[in-house]
Amino acid sequence: MFSPLELTLLLLGSAVLGVVAFRMLHLPPMLGYLAVGILIGPHALGLAEESHATHTLAEFGVVFLMFSIGLEFSLPKLMAMRSIVFGLGMAQVGMTIASTMLFGWLIAAALPPSIHLSWQASFALGGALAMSSTAIVVKMLTERLELESDHGRKIIGILLFQDLAVVPLLILIPALARNPDNLVETLAWAGGKAVIVLVLLLFIGQKLMRSWFTIVVKRRSQELFMLNLLLVTLGAAWITERAGLSLALGAFVAGMLISETEYKHQVEEDIKPFRDVLLGLFFITVGMLLNVRVVFENWWLVLILLAGPVLLKFALIAGLAKLFGSSDGTSMRTGLALAQAGEFGFVLLNVVGGVQLVDPFVIQVVLASMVLSMLLAPFLIEHSDKLVLKFSANEWMMQSLTLTKIAARTMSTKKHVIVAGFGRSGQNLARLLQEEDIEYHALDLDPTRVQEAQAAGANVSYGDAARRESLVAAGIYRASAVVITYASTPSALKVLHLVHELAPTLPVIVRSHDDTDLDRLKEAGAAEVVPELMEGSLMLASHALVMLGVPLRRVVHRVQAAREERYASLRGFFHGASDSGDEAELVRLHSVTLAGGAWCVGRPLSEVDLESAGAEVTTIRRGKVRLPVDSSTILESGDVVVLRGSAPAVARAEHQLLA
């Protein structure tokens, strides 16, 4: 029997070795934790036994995970994605649980008398199987630059509802196990307590949290800030536990309260080490639950439980996505990405085992199938494009339509610049090119940003520059240069490879985070590599202008003028759904199209008091003509007014224009 210190050292040492091994195999660390838990657990090498200490560590891991989810909970974000989150996401979770309950009812008679599978048990297992792995899916989508794609948004929306669904499930599952004879009364009592506790925490906590954090921050002590953060997290968890609810629910609410304060990002960074370490130990304890002998003896059942839920979730999610208006390709990609089990599935399965709602044998085989499905997930996502093109008859047609739209916008353009990515750097470059009367065409994968920028008259299309067809449609054979404005070396290498094949003499300018990959990019054919730490988008634009034949003296003059104005001419960018929280706080551009009933139609710009809203007008476009931003300019129906300011200021200014 190990002492607490020896047990902690064993878990930490095993975790380090497991993560190193799985990182070398390019697999998620979470799977390393699970593998380590299985190996050192009581059912394999027997180095670590289940104990109160390991369960406590596991509980703390879940607490900090739920706290982090609460921090990410944003009501505006939720409302913007409400049709996906509460439509598609809710349908997916609800139908997965219903399908599991139906399957449980069908096989209940065929099970041995020693295994009793009640509807409560089927409901709990359905909740666990409904979850997908946020960690694996988001990592893969980020690496593949697909977070802003149509299927990427569907996936994120469903994952968001799954995260939210864990909260009521953590309340329901223990309630179902306590008193099945008086189920309605038990659920009503649990729900009543949850409502009372949540109302008290949200209403009283909302008033106290901001002022209390302000007091703590004014002491200018990082140690005090960290202590206060742990106090708030664990204190809220203790309150909900004392009310007969879960620790995780209180931590989730604490995260929600802090997410409404200006200290959210600091808290997020400070809590991350605690969350990652304790969550890793939680997954080790989950792995320790798995009885390898039972799995090997019933391998056929494990494979059935692996194939069944994966195929069911794929078919269910793809079908629902299609029902909600997605194309065949988007539906299939969404289903393939979410077919596996997830972190919260283990959390719920742990709760199910703790309240003894399901037979331990069933827990063992379900746990094994969930681990295997997560091992399968990276390969399904990696090969999703090939699978979709093979089985979806109209995917080629949809891709051809997208490429036709790009080609139609660039057909008459020659000697233009192809701008890969239309974020802040891409937009800054486009403005300088436009001022020099140099044609450009941008490709971007954020539909929101593309729509906003197109409304303002920007030459941008939805498309992936890392695809051969997109570059051809954008007129690569007629272009003067390609500029890669996002700092992603893997994607840049793909684009360089394609450009080298299609137009070997075409110069390519690449942006990178720093000079780490400079040699690799140069060897791949980049004419210039601009590390953003050297000067970011301004240097990128200056290299592009020089290479396109603009006199060096004029370029230097423009760069110097921008510096003297403290980059005022480059401030603001069209905000997209993919922009991070930090970028969301910066000055942004927003296009407002004036309908016939807008208040400002027929009035001069001087009558529209936008300064009081904290915003300014940068551009007025009427058809294809850019009007002077002058106080005497009369606004007309159909005009597109481009506003610049912070998010609240832009919203107030838009309200003044329209209302």
Side-chain angles (χ1 to χ4, degrees):
M1 186 69 179
F2 290 113
S3 68
L5 176 59
E6 290 169 336
L7 177 62
T8 305
L9 288 172
L10 173 65
L11 294 176
L12 290 174
S14 304
V16 169
L17 294 174
V19 171
V20 167
F22 274 69
R23 282 286 190 190
M24 290 173 67
L25 296 171
H26 303 289
L27 292 171
M30 181 200 331
L31 299 179
Y33 291 125
L34 290 168
V36 163
I38 295 168
L39 192 63
I40 69 171
H43 306 296
L45 298 179
L47 297 176
E49 298 288 335
E50 292 182 57
S51 65
H52 179 70
T54 57
H55 282 294
T56 302
L57 286 172
E59 279 192 323
F60 279 132
V62 177
V63 163
F64 284 104
L65 175 62
M66 290 301 293
F67 178 79
S68 298
I69 295 298
L71 277 178
E72 292 300 320
F73 184 85
S74 165
L75 195 56
K77 179 181 176 182
L78 205 61
M79 293 307 295
M81 301 178 67
R82 59 186 178 275
S83 60
I84 300 176
V85 176
F86 295 107
L88 188 56
M90 184 183 291
Q92 181 265 319
V93 172
M95 291 191 69
T96 304
I97 293 174
S99 301
T100 307
M101 292 178 69
L102 176 63
F103 180 74
W105 176 72
L106 290 174
I107 67 164
L111 291 172
S114 59
I115 300 176
H116 175 62
L117 193 64
S118 63
W119 72 264
Q120 292 96 330
S122 298
F123 177 90
L125 289 173
L129 293 173
M131 302 297 135
S132 304
S133 175
T134 302
I136 293 175
V137 174
V138 171
K139 179 178 181 293
M140 294 290 295
L141 289 181
T142 302
E143 289 177 353
R144 290 165 60 86
L145 303 175
E146 293 178 352
L147 276 175
E148 302 84 22
S149 63
D150 193 22
H151 63 276
R153 292 190 173 207
K154 297 281 190 301
I155 290 164
I156 296 300
I158 294 172
L159 287 172
L160 183 56
F161 184 82
Q162 290 178 0
D163 292 345
L164 295 175
V166 173
V167 177
L169 287 171
L170 287 171
I171 298 170
L172 280 172
I173 291 173
L176 290 173
R178 280 192 199 115
N179 195 352
D181 296 329
N182 299 312
L183 185 61
V184 175
E185 183 181 334
T186 303
L187 291 177
W189 175 238
K193 285 193 296 184
V195 169
I196 292 169
V197 171
L198 289 175
V199 167
L200 289 173
L201 283 173
L202 289 172
F203 281 88
I204 298 176
Q206 189 71 41
K207 298 178 186 297
L208 293 177
M209 192 65 69
R210 190 183 300 273
S211 56
W212 174 246
F213 262 82
T214 302
I215 293 170
V216 171
V217 168
K218 284 182 177 179
R219 306 287 78 80
R220 298 181 181 276
S221 169
Q222 183 66 27
E223 179 186 2
L224 180 61
F225 187 85
M226 194 68 244
L227 286 171
N228 179 63
L229 180 56
L230 293 174
L231 173 65
V232 169
T233 308
L234 298 178
W238 175 79
I239 290 171
T240 51
E241 186 192 36
R242 296 297 294 173
L245 304 168
S246 69
L247 288 166
L249 177 60
F252 176 78
V253 174
M256 280 179 58
L257 295 176
I258 294 174
S259 72
E260 299 298 323
T261 71
E262 59 269 35
Y263 310 111
K264 170 187 173 180
H265 300 297
Q266 180 64 39
V267 168
E268 205 165 19
E269 287 302 312
D270 286 347
I271 207 69
K272 193 175 180 181
F274 291 93
R275 182 197 66 191
D276 292 347
V277 171
L278 291 171
L279 196 57
L281 295 178
F282 164 73
F283 286 122
I284 289 177
T285 61
V286 170
M288 288 167 60
L289 297 174
L290 188 66
N291 190 328
V292 181
R293 184 177 58 82
V294 172
V295 171
F296 278 116
E297 288 177 356
N298 300 274
W299 59 269
W300 57 273
L301 183 57
V302 172
L303 291 179
I304 290 173
L305 289 173
L306 167 65
V310 167
L311 292 173
L312 171 67
K313 284 178 73 176
F314 165 71
L316 194 60
I317 294 170
L320 287 170
K322 181 69 177 173
L323 194 64
F324 276 76
S326 298
S327 65
D328 289 347
T330 298
S331 302
M332 291 179 69
R333 286 185 179 91
T334 306
L336 287 168
L338 298 173
Q340 83 294 127
E343 303 90 349
F344 282 121
F346 294 122
V347 173
L348 294 173
L349 202 64
N350 206 35
V351 173
V352 171
V355 297
Q356 299 179 344
L357 191 59
V358 177
D359 187 272
F361 172 77
V362 177
I363 293 281
Q364 291 294 323
V365 291
V366 170
L367 181 64
S369 67
M370 287 170 67
V371 172
L372 290 175
S373 76
M374 292 178 75
L375 285 169
L376 185 64
F379 303 101
L380 281 177
I381 298 172
E382 187 65 34
H383 295 93
S384 58
D385 287 338
K386 293 179 182 177
L387 292 170
V388 170
L389 290 172
K390 186 174 183 179
F391 294 106
S392 176
N394 68 348
E395 179 64 10
W396 284 107
M397 190 193 314
M398 295 298 295
Q399 291 192 10
S400 299
L401 183 61
T402 302
L403 296 173
T404 303
K405 289 179 180 178
I406 299 173
R409 293 175 66 91
T410 61
M411 197 169 291
S412 60
T413 308
K414 292 181 180 178
K415 300 296 182 182
H416 61 292
V417 181
I418 297 176
V419 180
F422 207 59
R424 295 186 66 198
S425 297
Q427 290 172 40
N428 290 341
L429 170 61
R431 286 175 207 156
L432 290 174
L433 291 172
Q434 199 168 27
E435 288 172 8
E436 291 294 332
D437 294 324
I438 296 173
E439 294 284 348
Y440 74 91
H441 194 85
L443 298 172
D444 196 271
L445 284 171
D446 189 324
T448 303
R449 183 185 293 128
V450 170
Q451 186 177 4
E452 286 258 339
Q454 282 181 352
N459 295 323
V460 57
S461 298
Y462 179 83
D464 184 1
R467 290 186 60 226
R468 181 192 307 272
E469 297 84 357
S470 298
L471 290 174
V472 172
I476 191 169
Y477 298 118
R478 305 185 304 275
S480 296
V482 175
V483 184
I484 303 171
T485 67
Y486 49 82
S488 170
T489 300
S491 179
L493 291 171
K494 287 182 185 177
V495 176
L496 287 166
H497 175 71
L498 292 172
V499 172
H500 182 70
E501 280 189 359
L502 298 169
T505 61
L506 192 67
V508 183
I509 306 162
V510 183
R511 170 189 166 197
S512 66
H513 278 301
D514 48 40
D515 57 359
T516 307
D517 298 314
L518 192 144
D519 292 335
R520 286 179 66 198
L521 292 166
K522 281 279 192 181
E523 288 171 7
E528 288 289 352
V529 179
V530 183
E532 60 186 8
L533 294 178
M534 293 169 61
E535 254 196 284
S537 62
L538 191 57
M539 280 296 294
L540 180 63
S542 66
H543 276 287
L545 292 172
V546 170
M547 191 164 289
L548 291 164
V550 179
L552 179 61
R553 187 172 180 179
R554 192 190 304 174
V555 173
V556 172
H557 174 72
R558 285 203 172 278
V559 171
Q560 188 62 34
R563 285 180 179 140
E564 287 173 358
E565 295 172 10
R566 300 185 64 82
Y567 301 97
S569 63
L570 302 181
R571 291 184 67 226
F573 67 107
F574 294 107
H575 185 261
S578 63
D579 292 318
S580 67
D582 290 338
E583 290 179 325
E585 299 298 322
L586 299 176
V587 174
R588 66 175 66 191
L589 297 180
H590 176 56
S591 303
V592 180
T593 303
L594 304 181
W599 174 84
C600 66
V601 170
R603 301 174 188 269
L605 192 59
S606 59
E607 286 189 25
V608 186
D609 183 20
L610 298 180
E611 288 185 2
S612 62
E616 62 177 323
V617 176
T618 64
T619 308
I620 302 174
R621 189 169 65 85
R622 185 170 296 163
K624 295 184 178 180
V625 180
R626 292 165 67 98
L627 301 179
V629 181
D630 188 86
S631 59
S632 61
T633 301
I634 306 294
L635 298 173
E636 294 182 7
S637 175
D639 285 357
V640 175
V641 179
V642 182
L643 301 170
R644 176 164 62 192
S646 64
V650 165
R652 288 193 298 267
E654 182 178 9
H655 179 74
Q656 284 184 219
L657 284 170
L658 302 180

